[in-house]
Amino acid sequence: MVDATSAALDGYGHLVDDPSRCSIEIVRWPALGTRPVDADTGDQGGTTQGVFSSEWRGDILYGRNEAVDGHYILAYAQPPESARTDHAEPPGRMLLWHANYHPDGGQLFFPLDRQPFYVPLALPGDDVTPQRFICFRFDGRQGLYIHPNIWHEGVFGLRGTQRFFDRQGAVHARVSVDFAREFGCLLEAPIFVTAIRSARGTSARLVGIGEMMPSLTEDQAKAYIISS
């Protein structure tokens, strides 16, 4: 885990001070043969925007993206088979099961509540592995813009409900990776709510299925449907 700075985010995207001045990259529709797509076509889908909500209910972090009418399970604080929603204890960690990227355009997340948050990211490539992910830690004073094709999984609030302004490509193409099914692990990052602004050197690790979750059923991970 690393603090989100301009240098650390190089290649992934950049910090955003003013969301109204952040433009969204739109990728031209790819040519299927030897003839190119006409220069004035293929990138006119525009953008969509809305509020992205990150809400902890007990041990489960739910996400809702109004821009694309998406509803997700983003992460767990406990193994999915023992996760509960009937308590209000703050999470001590997040267990990430899934990530995706958008080949059609970039994406902006800007914190409306100005609270610290996490965003796991990996550089482009369909040969992605869990080890390539870095969890970036934001203090809540700036937002994040990510380039097209950057692996991510929305934004992770650290407790309660946090809201973010979201703007992204309207086509909303999505390519996914399922860590539990493809690699037999979840990605884990600790949450330090009170020390988020000053913590340094926190490491993220992989959690093996046999270690943390002997089984992962369809019902236990309903977010296999979609991501941000």
Side-chain angles (χ1 to χ4, degrees), residues 66-78:
E66 294 178 353
V68 295
D69 194 27
H71 302 263
Y72 330 113
I73 291 177
L74 297 175
Y76 299 90
Q78 299 295 333

Side-chain angles (χ1 to χ4, degrees), residues 26-176:
I26 300 298
V27 179
R28 190 178 306 282
W29 193 270
L32 299 180
T34 58
R35 296 180 184 273
V37 176
D38 289 349
D40 58 347
T41 67
D43 60 354
Q44 298 163 309
T47 61
T48 182
Q49 64 186 49
V51 174
F52 188 107
S53 298
S54 172
E55 179 185 5
W56 281 101
R57 300 180 204 163
D59 300 323
I60 302 177
L61 178 61
Y62 293 91
R64 179 179 179 182
N65 188 349
E66 294 178 353
V68 295
D69 194 27
H71 302 263
Y72 330 113
I73 291 177
L74 297 175
Y76 299 90
Q78 299 295 333
E81 70 274 10
S82 59
R84 297 164 39 214
T85 59
D86 60 350
H87 68 84
E89 293 295 320
R93 62 178 175 176
M94 64 180 196
L95 299 173
L96 175 66
W97 67 274
H98 172 274
N100 72 98
Y101 68 83
H102 304 308
D104 63 289
Q107 188 165 13
L108 163 70
F109 298 106
F110 192 85
L112 296 175
D113 302 312
R114 302 302 177 101
Q115 297 295 318
F117 59 96
Y118 290 171
V119 182
L121 300 174
L123 292 172
D126 282 1
D127 58 347
V128 68
T129 62
Q131 291 83 356
R132 297 186 184 179
F133 277 81
I134 296 175
C135 187
F136 289 91
R137 182 172 47 220
F138 295 78
D139 63 14
R141 293 177 293 182
Q142 296 171 295
L144 168 67
Y145 174 76
I146 56 174
H147 297 304
N149 302 312
I150 294 295
W151 290 98
H152 66 288
E153 181 69 336
V155 276
F156 293 72
L158 306 188
R159 66 187 307 168
T161 300
Q162 292 178 230
R163 299 169 306 134
F164 302 82
F165 173 71
D166 169 80
R167 184 186 294 128
Q168 61 189 96
V171 172
H172 190 228
R174 186 179 58 247
V175 180
S176 295

